[in-house]
Amino acid sequence: MKPHTRAALKDFILQFALRKIKPLAGISVEELRRAFPFHDIFFRDEALIAFKLQRSIVTSLGRGFYAQVAEIIGKDLYKVVRREHPIVCTLPSAMCDTIERIVTELRLRQRQPAHASELAEVLHTTQGSLRKVPIKADLYLDDGPAGPAFIELKSPKPNLDVCAESKRKMLYFLAYTNTQGLQSARAVFALYYNPYFPKPYSWTFTRQILDMSSEVLIGADFWDFVGGPGTYDELLQILAEVKQGLRHP
């Protein structure tokens, strides 16, 4: 990362962590022991406090936080980095109908995900009047080495509806960019970490709807896609520095 990017990222994460840690001052360990007497058997005082705050922290570490981290990192490589980026795709009605049919068949397990053949099937249908379909990217990158890129940034265990809607938007984006002559465009279903690590990722709904080899980036692969090779390792270093600073201000 560039020095100013590293500094901005570290400050963003630090300020976020400080806001989450602030409520610790009002928590009484004795009250927690009474509230969670069986948990007290297994957890030390610090861990019991962490247990109390865990739900709030996990909720805060949602898509918005990770998207902001990715936005900061992405500006090293891309001129255009936008969160919640709207796009209106203008496509022939037959092409739109094909996309909707593919997504429905995937939901019903009537076909297996296969990115290349799906896209070819969509682009082959060019009949009908033009239809405008609005979509929105969780993260949009452009004018970089791998752009334009439409990124659906999701939690590691998304439900079936989330996977299907992301697939739908990704197909619309690729169909639209292909009709605009942008064959290098990418649509990515990104997961910020692998909850099964060190084992391979194996969440059922993701594998049912998405082509894991062509459409999905997980953990280090995603972060390196946004910031270039070595980004994930540097991100781990920054997190370690923030953690050390919080313990020894």
Side-chain angles (χ1 to χ4, degrees):
M1 296 180 200
K2 296 177 182 178
H4 66 87
T5 300
R6 197 180 198 282
L9 181 59
K10 185 174 180 179
D11 182 67
F12 171 74
I13 296 173
L14 175 61
Q15 295 307 315
F16 174 86
L18 289 173
R19 289 195 300 272
K20 295 293 104 180
I21 290 174
K22 189 176 181 180
L24 287 173
I27 294 179
S28 164
V29 175
E30 291 301 323
E31 290 178 355
L32 289 178
R33 285 174 177 161
R34 292 187 61 81
F36 306 102
F38 295 99
H39 292 77
D40 188 42
I41 297 174
F42 304 100
F43 297 117
R44 295 181 179 179
D45 291 352
E46 297 85 354
L48 199 59
I49 294 173
F51 167 79
K52 173 66 175 178
L53 292 177
Q54 186 262 353
R55 183 177 296 275
S56 172
I57 292 172
V58 169
T59 300
S60 299
L61 283 173
R63 183 177 62 191
F65 170 80
Y66 292 108
Q68 289 182 75
V69 171
E71 180 183 30
I72 294 169
I73 292 172
K75 290 179 179 178
D76 265 3
L77 291 183
Y78 300 89
K79 294 179 182 178
V80 177
V81 182
R82 295 173 183 158
R83 290 181 286 126
E84 300 297 321
H85 178 62
I87 301 171
V88 177
C89 302
T90 303
L91 296 168
S93 58
M95 195 173 286
C96 298
D97 292 341
T98 300
I99 291 173
E100 300 295 340
R101 176 176 54 79
I102 288 172
V103 173
T104 297
E105 291 174 354
L106 287 167
R107 287 183 63 106
L108 297 175
R109 296 185 181 273
Q110 294 175 349
R111 65 191 294 161
Q112 296 293 319
H115 172 67
S117 61
E118 290 164 357
L119 185 57
E121 187 177 344
V122 170
L123 296 177
H124 182 70
T125 54
T126 58
Q127 301 82 16
S129 59
L130 293 179
R131 185 184 300 171
K132 292 184 177 180
V133 179
I135 60 174
K136 184 180 290 186
D138 293 331
L139 183 68
Y140 180 80
L141 310 173
D142 204 353
D143 292 336
F150 182 99
I151 299 175
E152 286 289 280
L153 183 57
K154 303 303 179 185
S155 62
K157 294 184 177 182
N159 63 36
L160 180 60
D161 289 339
V162 167
C163 292
E165 179 59 17
S166 291
K167 178 79 169 198
R168 175 181 174 273
K169 291 194 291 182
M170 290 162 65
L171 284 174
Y172 272 109
F173 174 75
L174 291 177
Y176 176 66
T177 51
N178 269 267
T179 62
Q180 301 300 304
L182 297 172
Q183 284 78 18
S184 64
R186 287 197 63 180
V188 174
F189 190 80
L191 308 173
Y192 23 88
Y193 69 92
N194 174 14
Y196 301 96
F197 186 85
K199 296 180 180 179
Y201 181 82
S202 60
W203 185 242
T204 301
F205 296 136
T206 308
R207 301 179 69 88
Q208 177 182 336
I209 304 295
L210 283 303
D211 186 330
M212 298 299 295
S213 63
S214 301
E215 297 179 302
V216 181
L217 292 176
I218 304 173
D221 291 335
F222 163 65
W223 295 109
D224 286 358
F225 176 81
V226 173
T231 295
Y232 185 64
D233 288 337
E234 191 163 2
L235 177 58
L236 293 180
Q237 293 173 7
I238 292 171
L239 292 172
E241 291 171 10
V242 170
K243 181 178 180 180
Q244 184 69 15
L246 291 171
R247 289 183 173 179
H248 304 285

